[in-house]
Amino acid sequence: QVQLVESGGGLVQAGGSLVLSCTASRSIFSFSAMSWYRQAPGKQRELVARITSAGNTYYTDSMKGRFTISRDNAKNTVYLQMNSLKPEDTAVYYCYSWDRIDYWGQGTQVTVSS
């Protein structure tokens, strides 16, 4: 069993930045990929970014150029640097990984005011 714990959410003005962290209860090196998802009120959960164990990254189009995903295997932590935040980025952000079963964090709220 693996626990994923997110932190770093909060309230920020449009144009501002936040860094989210996701720390796993065991080594993340064995995960083939770690991802960030988000869910806004009344909307489906959507993929934000993914990083593989090799360090390859993928971003949903609307996040490209603004968000950066990274990982620190020594700290069992994945980060999401979010810049140029917009009100439409307001959502609960979740950390996700898979190792035979799905692992989700509890989520961290990001609110961007206009």
Side-chain angles (χ1 to χ4, degrees):
Q1 192 74 8
V2 179
Q3 289 186 325
L4 302 176
V5 180
E6 302 99 334
S7 61
L11 174 64
V12 64
Q13 288 189 333
S17 298
L18 281 175
V19 180
L20 305 183
S21 300
C22 168
T23 300
S25 57
R26 68 161 172 84
S27 172
I28 64 172
F29 186 76
S30 61
F31 290 119
S32 59
M34 301 286 295
S35 303
W36 285 96
Y37 282 77
R38 71 183 186 185
Q39 187 166 21
K43 294 188 177 181
Q44 289 191 330
R45 195 169 294 190
E46 65 172 342
L47 176 66
V48 174
R50 176 181 295 122
I51 186 166
T52 70
S53 57
N56 299 313
T57 57
Y58 168 84
Y59 300 91
T60 297
D61 284 346
S62 60
M63 285 60 141
K64 286 181 181 177
R66 299 191 299 125
F67 292 6
T68 303
I69 189 170
S70 60
R71 61 192 290 162
D72 185 336
N73 291 335
K75 295 183 178 180
N76 298 333
T77 299
V78 176
Y79 302 97
L80 184 68
Q81 171 74 49
M82 304 187 295
N83 298 326
S84 302
L85 283 163
K86 306 174 182 179
E88 51 263 43
D89 293 318
T90 295
V92 179
Y93 284 71
Y94 297 92
C95 185
Y96 168 82
S97 193
W98 180 91
D99 183 7
R100 289 170 288 182
I101 63 173
D102 294 328
Y103 293 104
W104 290 96
Q106 82 288 351
T108 185
Q109 176 70 47
V110 171
T111 303
V112 184
S113 63
S114 57

